[in-house]
Each structure stands twice: as C-alpha cells, then as structure tokens.
Amino acid sequence: MNTIPQPRVICPVHPLADTWKLQAACRGMDTRLWYPAQGLRAGAEAKAVCAGCPVRAECLAYVTALPGPERRYGIWGGLSDRERRARRRARRVERAS
C-alpha cells in the first residue's frame, strides 16, 4: 500500500524548522512567555510547559543548530540560554577528557 508523503512545514524565517513544531505543547501560546525578564523565577512557567512537551528534544536540537544571536535568547527545550551554554560547556569538557 502506497502512502502519500506529508508536506513539510518550513518556516520562512528559519529554514531549519520542521513539522515537529506542529506537535509542540507551546504551539499557539503567547511567545512572550518564552522570553522572560531576568530574575530568579524567570521562565518557570515556560519551563513547566516544556516539561510535558513531546518534542522537547527536537526543540533543543533546533535552537542549538541556529546560527548567531538567535540562539542566545529565550527558553527552548525547557532550558534558558544560560542553561544551554552550561550544557554545551559540560559536553566539551566531557569530550576532552
């Protein structure tokens, strides 16, 4: 039985975007939630949404692949920019040892 290939949804701004976004728990929510002000609990609400998201890993991989400053802001895959940088550093140290 032949299956009809599903069309890929490509974001015109970020060509790396893919259909995983259609399954994201945050889809349709106010994007300001993922770009919180600085503070102790900044991003807690966004991280709570991310915690139950079925495409959290894809989201994190997407932002990691972004070039330049776009990857520096906001909560992606349940992690803040600071947390993503710490994760990258830990991986580099792990690979070096």
Side-chain angles (χ1 to χ4, degrees), residues 31-53:
T31 57
R32 291 178 291 185
L33 188 63
W34 279 264
Y35 297 93
Q38 298 294 322
L40 187 58
R41 297 215 9 100
E45 191 175 348
K47 289 178 180 184
V49 172
C50 294
C53 184

Side-chain angles (χ1 to χ4, degrees), residues 65-79:
L66 286 176
E70 295 163 335
R71 70 190 284 177
R72 294 186 195 138
Y73 304 105
I75 307 296
W76 290 85
L79 300 177

Side-chain angles (χ1 to χ4, degrees), residues 13-62:
V13 177
H14 300 291
L16 295 175
D18 210 342
T19 56
W20 64 266
K21 287 184 173 185
L22 297 174
Q23 300 169 20
C26 63
R27 185 166 184 228
M29 297 180 80
D30 186 351
T31 57
R32 291 178 291 185
L33 188 63
W34 279 264
Y35 297 93
Q38 298 294 322
L40 187 58
R41 297 215 9 100
E45 191 175 348
K47 289 178 180 184
V49 172
C50 294
C53 184
V55 292
R56 183 177 178 179
E58 290 87 340
C59 180
L60 198 52
Y62 170 76

